[in-house]
Amino acid sequence: MARIAFILLTHKDPEGVIDHARRLTATGDYVTIHYDRRAAKADYLQIRAALQDNPGVAFANRRHKCGWGEWSLVAASLEALREAERRFPTATHFYLLSGDCMPIKSAEYTRQFLDAEECDYIEAVDFHEGNWIKTGLREERLIYRHWFNERTQHKAFYASLNLQKRLGLARPTPEGLQIMIGSQWWCLRRQTVEDVLALIDQRPELLRFFRTTWIPDETFFQTLVMHVVPKTQVRRHSPTFLMFTDYGMPVTFYNDHYDLLLRQNYLFARKISPEAAELRERLGMVWQARGMSFAVSNEGPRLHRFLTERGRVGRRFAPRFWETELAAQREHVIGLIVAKKWHVARRLTARIRALTAIPAVDYLFDEVDAHLPDLGGIASSVAKRDRHRRALVKLLFEEFETQQLVICVDSSALPLIADLAGGKPQTRILFIDGDFDDAYIRGHMKRIGVAGDETPDEVIRRLVPVVRDDLLHEVERLRDMNFPHFNVISPGAGIAMNAAAIARFLEVPDEIAHDLAATPQLFSD
């Protein structure tokens, strides 16, 4: 059975550290503590005095002054890891935690989880091709030497970097290593830890290299683990649940996040607010619970993103759909079928293709199968279509040899709709209105990832009115844009009124418009 040696990196809250260590060792596991040397000495002595008689607790032999982005974080982890590997010979796994981490599963569940597969858990993607780094320095992190902290020694950091660039002092990466990058928080098997420690003892140049890279806690263990362990034995994701805000800062969890955290498919979570005493107490009880089951829905990141984005209007810096140099001409007509219920819009475009000569495609920027002709590589994926949106629409007009084109658009894509309506071609809109009952809202929540199959019904019930209000708000914003060629069809309007709206939208004879409006089960969910 798995026994875990936790590597605990801390720098504050000595009482919390003491409680954390006692809680983790109470279930038969181990803890090795590295307490930042920048912290008050009295706090460190308090921790040692409180835990000195606990046989499951050890302390790093050397304490480092740790700084964000510096080698000191890796040095602290290595110091504690070596001591844990030496002091606790029966530990099967080594799990890196911070003082802000708390368990979101029981020790019983965690052991069963680790026993289920013979593997390591560490996020590790290719440094150069993985697109893990979103902003800031990329290759410069590795090929230049960094002796200063970018946050606390900003001028010296960039002066050193720019001088190395001017002098051509770029360096190669260590021979035979593919540099990987990922989250700092991992859980490794004993054999993996022994192999990593042996590797750095055998190759001291590895420490020399990573000691002067920038943010090495995201690359050091990630690279070396993938060097010594077969890929089939690595699950490339962290076992610790964490999310980031739009500003790149970790999301902090509070007392009301308890149910959300337990539903995530992770073992621990960071970061828990120091003020969330109730949450810490409840999660501590979870760790020591026996026979506790967990309904995993894993909707946390999308639910957080949905709730934090509510109230935002528009998309700043969104790429334009239509640009002058690749634009359709004034004689072109673009018909936009705007609908939240995609299945209704698809039924209508299918009938338009069957009853008219007007080319009609479905949600070509949202789904792969959108009834497109063969356009070659530009249409091979949704992502590629989005990158070449201007060229794609122009190609559609040319491929269909038409002056009129119908496209389906989700009602949330207001900036896209506004761009089209403001371009040279005449743009007509057919908005498909309808009711959003609870069954539809629940299905919609699952489709967008706000809820999952295991999300408690109480959570879904509370979210239903929130999501419905957002959908209705989309409709109001669309109507408030006052487009000149704006038509509406709805299930309550009747075939005659819907036919008149379709006739204006497509400029087709009344008979064809009537047949389109009378499409069987057009509005059915």
Side-chain angles (χ1 to χ4, degrees):
M1 178 179 290
R3 294 189 74 180
I4 308 168
F6 292 99
I7 310 302
L8 190 57
L9 302 184
T10 64
H11 65 282
K12 61 183 179 180
D13 187 20
E15 291 291 346
V17 174
I18 294 168
D19 291 343
H20 206 14
R22 286 173 174 166
R23 183 184 306 114
L24 293 175
T25 57
T27 54
D29 295 298
Y30 310 106
V31 174
T32 300
I33 299 172
H34 179 279
Y35 198 72
D36 197 329
R37 197 153 64 91
R38 296 182 189 274
K41 184 177 181 180
D43 291 347
Y44 177 63
L45 294 177
Q46 177 186 351
I47 296 170
R48 291 208 66 137
L51 298 173
Q52 63 181 350
D53 295 329
N54 189 327
V57 175
F59 292 85
N61 286 325
R62 179 185 175 191
R63 294 166 60 209
H64 295 265
K65 292 183 178 180
C66 296
W68 184 89
E70 296 179 3
W71 167 254
S72 54
L73 287 174
V74 178
S77 303
L78 278 174
E79 199 73 44
L81 186 61
R82 286 187 184 277
E83 181 64 11
E85 190 266 343
R86 183 185 71 84
R87 281 285 302 276
F88 305 121
T90 59
T92 61
H93 293 76
F94 296 80
Y95 197 130
L96 184 65
L97 293 175
S98 78
D100 293 325
C101 295
M102 287 292 292
I104 56 176
K105 298 292 185 293
S106 65
E108 181 181 68
Y109 178 100
T110 299
R111 292 195 181 97
Q112 292 172 355
F113 179 90
L114 295 178
D115 285 336
E117 281 194 273
E118 186 62 29
C119 63
D120 301 296
Y121 295 89
I122 182 169
E123 184 176 21
V125 300
D126 186 273
F127 184 95
H128 301 285
E129 300 178 2
N131 197 32
W132 199 85
I133 302 172
K134 302 302 180 185
T135 60
L137 300 179
R138 295 177 184 270
E139 189 179 23
E140 295 92 340
R141 290 190 185 193
L142 305 175
I143 65 174
Y144 298 110
R145 298 163 180 83
H146 301 277
W147 297 281
F148 304 99
N149 189 297
E150 193 258 355
R151 289 187 173 181
T152 60
Q153 301 165 296
H154 187 82
K155 290 184 178 180
F157 180 92
Y158 284 102
S160 170
L161 176 60
N162 292 331
L163 179 61
Q164 292 179 74
K165 288 181 178 180
R166 288 198 299 271
L167 296 178
L169 298 179
R171 60 178 176 174
T173 56
E175 184 179 356
L177 282 191
Q178 178 185 8
I179 304 300
M180 310 297 285
I181 189 169
S183 169
Q184 174 185 1
W185 313 107
W186 40 253
C187 180
L188 305 176
R189 294 167 296 170
R190 183 176 199 91
Q191 186 61 54
T192 300
V193 167
E194 292 175 351
D195 290 345
V196 167
L197 294 178
L199 177 64
I200 59 180
D201 288 340
Q202 296 163 7
R203 297 185 59 181
E205 76 274 12
L206 299 180
L207 291 183
R208 288 196 298 269
F209 174 80
F210 283 103
R211 189 175 282 119
T212 52
T213 59
W214 182 232
I215 321 183
D217 55 283
E218 295 179 349
T219 55
F220 179 80
F221 287 102
Q222 296 77 359
T223 299
L224 299 192
V225 167
M226 295 305 296
H227 185 75
V228 301
V229 178
K231 293 181 180 180
T232 57
Q233 296 181 25
V234 181
R235 301 297 171 264
R236 298 197 200 188
H237 57 82
S238 171
T240 298
F241 178 60
L242 69 161
M243 297 189 296
F244 290 91
T245 67
D246 291 347
Y247 302 99
M249 301 299 292
V251 172
T252 300
F253 299 108
Y254 296 92
N255 291 335
D256 57 350
H257 287 117
Y258 174 81
D259 292 321
L260 172 73
L261 291 176
L262 261 60
R263 294 197 302 272
Q264 305 315 305
N265 192 24
Y266 295 84
L267 304 177
F268 282 73
R270 81 176 303 265
K271 52 194 236 172
I272 310 299
S273 170
E275 288 76 35
E278 178 186 342
L279 177 61
R280 287 176 174 269
E281 181 179 359
R282 295 179 73 185
L283 293 178
M285 294 172 64
V286 167
W287 176 252
Q288 299 179 63
R290 291 185 176 273
M292 187 174 182
S293 59
F294 298 89
V296 174
S297 58
N298 222 35
E299 81 282 17
R302 291 192 179 187
L303 178 58
H304 175 269
R305 185 163 56 248
F306 165 74
L307 293 174
T308 54
E309 287 178 353
R310 293 189 69 241
R312 296 179 186 173
V313 178
R315 299 178 187 173
R316 202 170 168 217
F317 308 127
R320 289 181 64 85
F321 185 97
W322 212 266
E323 296 291 349
T324 303
E325 63 269 20
L326 290 175
Q329 302 304 311
R330 294 186 186 277
E331 63 270 18
H332 288 148
V333 176
I334 302 174
L336 298 181
I337 297 179
V338 181
K340 177 60 67 178
K341 295 185 177 182
W342 291 13
H343 53 284
V344 178
R346 291 195 200 100
R347 288 189 193 119
L348 184 56
T349 53
R351 289 288 282 174
I352 291 173
R353 290 191 292 269
L355 300 181
T356 76
I358 301 171
V361 297
D362 297 336
Y363 291 84
L364 74 162
F365 295 114
D366 297 288
E367 54 184 353
V368 174
D369 185 11
H371 284 91
L372 290 175
D374 183 6
L375 298 175
I378 193 173
S380 61
S381 69
V382 172
K384 185 172 289 189
R385 294 177 202 171
D386 190 62
R387 288 197 300 271
H388 305 286
R389 289 189 283 185
R390 295 168 293 167
L392 176 58
V393 175
K394 186 173 185 291
L395 277 176
L396 286 174
F397 276 106
E398 295 174 351
E399 181 69 21
F400 285 120
E401 297 181 351
T402 184
Q403 299 297 310
Q404 187 175 1
L405 176 66
V406 171
I407 301 172
C408 293
V409 181
D410 191 276
S411 56
S412 64
L414 298 181
L416 167 61
I417 297 169
D419 272 344
L420 287 172
K424 288 183 178 180
Q426 182 185 119
T427 304
R428 303 175 191 157
I429 293 174
L430 181 68
F431 173 58
I432 301 179
D433 202 358
D435 297 326
F436 301 117
D437 59 21
D438 284 5
Y440 175 81
I441 295 292
R442 288 169 179 259
H444 177 68
M445 288 164 58
K446 291 183 178 181
R447 285 189 293 274
I448 65 175
V450 170
D453 291 337
E454 301 298 332
T455 302
D457 191 67
E458 172 62 19
V459 175
I460 294 179
R461 186 186 63 79
R462 291 167 59 189
L463 283 173
V464 162
V466 177
V467 176
R468 180 182 288 109
D469 285 346
D470 274 13
L471 297 183
L472 295 176
H473 183 58
E474 284 180 7
V475 174
E476 289 304 312
R477 289 171 59 198
L478 179 66
R479 292 179 181 275
D480 289 343
M481 295 172 82
N482 295 317
F483 296 111
H485 303 282
F486 188 86
N487 302 278
V488 181
I489 62 173
S490 68
I495 291 179
M497 291 185 64
N498 287 340
I502 292 173
R504 292 191 297 270
F505 173 66
L506 295 176
E507 287 191 340
V508 294
D510 293 342
E511 295 81 5
I512 294 178
H514 181 277
D515 289 344
L516 291 170
T519 298
Q521 304 296 317
L522 176 59
F523 298 101
S524 174
D525 287 335

